[in-house]
Amino acid sequence: MAPIDPHSFTDSTNPLTAHISLTLFFDFTTSSIHGSALFTLQHPHSGPFSLDTRSLTIHSILHPQSQTQIPFTLSPNTDPIKGTQLSITLSNQSTFVVSFTTSPSSSALQWLLPPQTFNKAHPFVYTQCQAIHARSVFPCQDTPAVRICYSARLNIPEQLAAVMAARHMERRAPNRDEVFGLLPVWKESWCGEGRVVEEFVMEQPVPPYLFAFAVGELGNREVGPRTRVYAEAVPAVLDSAAREFAGTEDMIREGEKLFGNYEWERFDLLVLPPSFPYGGMENPRMVFLTPTVIKGDATGAQVVAHELAHSWTGNLITNKNNNHFWLNEGFTTYAERRIVEAVQGEKRAALNIGIGWRGLNEDIERFKDNLEFTKLKTNQEGIDPDDVYSQVPYEKGFQFLWRIERQVGRPAFDEFLKKYIATFKFKSIDTETFIDFLKANIPGIENQIDLVLWTEGTGIPPDAYEPESSIYKAIVSLANESVNGRTPKEDEVADWQGQEWELYLDNLPKSIEASQIKALDSRYKLSESKDYEVKVSFLQQALSSGCKDYYGEVEKTLKEVGRMKYLRPLYTALVKGSGKEEDKVFAKTLFSEARESYHPIAQGVVESILAKYL
């Protein structure tokens, strides 16, 4: 076997999957999906053929024409990272049908009971397949080196609606002729009373981690010619989301000016329940968002700018495997800031860069005992990508591209970017491919920038660039003055929005005392901020200073949101910060009470933090 990805059983000697046709029956009573997947390979194959699975029950594998059984085996041992290998014995075949059932413990799926939703009337389920979780929804070659087209029929209760990262074809009554591959019991249920089928198709090849759906009581609002905002059918949520993201079409147009045509037809947005573990997920045609990005001042649109930028860098050109994750996220962070600069101005982009610089330095410190993960090109053999997720690929990757832009000038770099995207669109590439393309199109660049140091070196290269904008310098200077007990005056912060406060709080010295934290909050009510970036940055400082006054607010925050950007620093500050036993007990108790409200990926991250420090 010759693997092509350290996180997949996919064999380089096997043909790649060209298309999958999915038939999925959603069983909310057991938190499981009963499904069949019709595979079409790029060419016929004889011999063993490998697929990735995790927590799936495989019922049968059939020949679609003859309906005869095809032999298969599952690896006797489950790899803690990759899951279970499904090996199918093919005989000059390019098609086969796998019948399977997901587990309630699927790492990609979160099944929410009605009380866990906004409306509290109906259940809800959604996916999060990045980095390697698609294999827990359906068997697949779960590596971004493989790009597939797919169609999907979702059989759901009629009072619910479905959305997918694909084109919606129709909502209709179930049909008995479409259940080949399902077990007999689910064939009977398919046309049961109160069921409907939502049908979707994705005609552009995408990596499996971009497979996505959500099913629940959904409503929507139009916000632009290519954009509809979806959320649970709660008018207040839908209306506030529509206001926050009203400028989306402007961002799409700026993205097209910078990077070429938008290739995905629609750019719809789905605001998920608070348990969603990320700020946003760039699923094509249907970006998934946390409700914490709805801030009331349109600054949450910057998360949308990042996910939009993925439409060119990440979705259109994809890293071949997670060792080259910076190709997705470094490029997208650069592209996001160019879009923000064009739409919201240089000041806003400079604040973004400043916050990112601080985050990069914090994560370089986080990995000081494992410098491999401070590189852009990493070796993740035997490593769960969720465990080493950080700002490094985002911010060091951004810094690398910004360094190239400064060297060659923005006009030349813009032309380079457009050519790069046009050359590699709908392909998956690695760092070497990018470097070769860079050297071929900007001759002599390797003599001006140490490309090996940037991509394979540890830490932050000496020619990285801390932002120099006046607003950035003024805020960092104010934060540094707190050493002398100085709190910002009202007139100094009068026009501050969330990002300014976030930058200020993130740059406060570690020596700040609890009394200063309380004085700051007394004046500016930061612990009560509706902007979670501000609130969590403040609570982090409070915990680090040993201030006990905010434990109630920490508990409330950790129980009402599941975004890992907030869970990771708050749990870490509790169990690592003071080292006091009561803080560790508090963290363990909190997690035991909040655990079921977190997505499985977030559960795993918090468990690893507790395991490390307890």
Side-chain angles (χ1 to χ4, degrees), residues 429-544:
I429 67 170
D430 55 22
T431 301
E432 290 73 23
T433 302
F434 168 72
I435 294 297
D436 288 346
F437 185 80
L438 177 68
K439 291 193 287 193
N441 287 274
I442 306 179
I445 190 71
E446 67 271 28
N447 301 320
Q448 300 161 324
I449 300 173
D450 190 335
L451 304 180
V452 176
L453 176 68
W454 268 100
T455 55
E456 299 182 36
T458 59
I460 302 176
D463 51 343
Y465 193 67
E466 183 173 6
E468 282 192 341
S469 77
S470 56
I471 182 71
Y472 173 78
K473 284 184 169 179
I475 292 171
V476 172
S477 176
L478 265 179
N480 291 335
E481 287 178 28
S482 65
V483 170
N484 306 317
R486 171 149 145 57
T487 300
K489 298 171 186 170
E490 276 86 348
D491 62 332
E492 292 173 313
V493 303
D495 61 347
W496 281 15
Q497 291 179 294
Q499 277 188 304
E500 286 88 343
W501 276 114
E502 184 185 356
L503 186 62
Y504 174 81
L505 291 165
D506 286 351
N507 280 279
L508 287 174
K510 288 184 166 54
S511 58
I512 193 166
E513 295 182 359
S515 58
Q516 287 177 263
I517 288 288
K518 289 166 68 175
L520 187 65
D521 192 46
S522 176
R523 182 174 287 188
Y524 297 114
K525 310 297 181 199
L526 300 176
S527 66
E528 301 167 21
S529 175
K530 297 287 188 286
D531 186 332
Y532 278 90
E533 307 291 333
V534 175
K535 184 176 189 172
V536 171
S537 289
F538 175 81
L539 293 176
Q540 210 179 336
Q541 291 289 350
L543 290 172
S544 298

Side-chain angles (χ1 to χ4, degrees), residues 271-543:
V271 178
L272 283 160
S275 59
F276 185 58
Y278 292 100
M281 181 61 210
E282 63 270 19
N283 305 311
R285 301 180 64 98
M286 179 64 71
V287 164
F288 284 13
L289 295 167
T290 166
T292 64
V293 301
I294 303 174
K295 302 179 182 184
D297 59 7
T299 58
Q302 289 174 32
V303 172
V304 175
H306 184 87
E307 309 315 331
L308 169 64
H310 268 301
S311 302
W312 292 274
T313 54
N315 298 3
L316 208 53
I317 305 175
T318 308
N319 50 232
K320 190 169 279 187
N321 60 53
N322 225 66
N323 289 343
H324 310 278
F325 188 49
W326 81 272
L327 287 171
N328 277 20
E329 296 299 353
F331 268 91
T332 298
T333 303
Y334 176 87
E336 164 210 339
R337 287 172 183 158
R338 291 292 304 278
I339 293 170
V340 168
E341 181 182 315
V343 176
Q344 297 186 350
E346 285 186 30
K347 173 185 166 185
R348 201 53 52 195
L351 287 171
N352 263 349
I353 296 169
I355 292 167
W357 177 257
R358 180 71 183 179
L360 174 60
N361 279 272
E362 286 177 355
D363 275 341
I364 296 292
E365 172 68 17
R366 173 184 155 202
F367 290 119
K368 64 184 179 184
D369 298 326
N370 198 341
L371 292 173
E372 177 67 25
F373 304 112
T374 68
K375 299 176 182 178
L376 286 184
K377 179 188 168 188
T378 58
N379 177 6
Q380 295 190 20
E381 184 71 47
I383 301 293
D384 187 331
D386 290 334
D387 290 344
V388 293
Y389 178 85
S390 79
Q391 290 300 299
V392 173
Y394 294 74
E395 297 297 342
K396 188 175 178 180
F398 163 79
Q399 284 283 341
F400 180 33
L401 299 173
W402 203 28
R403 173 70 184 89
I404 300 169
E405 183 206 287
R406 292 198 303 277
Q407 186 66 44
V408 304
R410 179 169 280 189
F413 192 57
D414 282 354
E415 286 307 305
F416 168 80
L417 278 180
K418 283 181 178 173
K419 186 174 181 182
Y420 167 71
I421 291 166
T423 301
F424 295 108
K425 69 178 184 180
F426 295 113
K427 292 184 172 69
S428 300
I429 67 170
D430 55 22
T431 301
E432 290 73 23
T433 302
F434 168 72
I435 294 297
D436 288 346
F437 185 80
L438 177 68
K439 291 193 287 193
N441 287 274
I442 306 179
I445 190 71
E446 67 271 28
N447 301 320
Q448 300 161 324
I449 300 173
D450 190 335
L451 304 180
V452 176
L453 176 68
W454 268 100
T455 55
E456 299 182 36
T458 59
I460 302 176
D463 51 343
Y465 193 67
E466 183 173 6
E468 282 192 341
S469 77
S470 56
I471 182 71
Y472 173 78
K473 284 184 169 179
I475 292 171
V476 172
S477 176
L478 265 179
N480 291 335
E481 287 178 28
S482 65
V483 170
N484 306 317
R486 171 149 145 57
T487 300
K489 298 171 186 170
E490 276 86 348
D491 62 332
E492 292 173 313
V493 303
D495 61 347
W496 281 15
Q497 291 179 294
Q499 277 188 304
E500 286 88 343
W501 276 114
E502 184 185 356
L503 186 62
Y504 174 81
L505 291 165
D506 286 351
N507 280 279
L508 287 174
K510 288 184 166 54
S511 58
I512 193 166
E513 295 182 359
S515 58
Q516 287 177 263
I517 288 288
K518 289 166 68 175
L520 187 65
D521 192 46
S522 176
R523 182 174 287 188
Y524 297 114
K525 310 297 181 199
L526 300 176
S527 66
E528 301 167 21
S529 175
K530 297 287 188 286
D531 186 332
Y532 278 90
E533 307 291 333
V534 175
K535 184 176 189 172
V536 171
S537 289
F538 175 81
L539 293 176
Q540 210 179 336
Q541 291 289 350
L543 290 172

Side-chain angles (χ1 to χ4, degrees), residues 15 41 45-49 61 70-71 88-96:
L41 308 181
H45 179 69
S46 292
F49 179 84
I61 300 178
I70 297 173
I88 306 166
T89 304
L90 298 178
S91 179
N92 194 32
Q93 291 164 267
S94 60
T95 60
F96 55 88

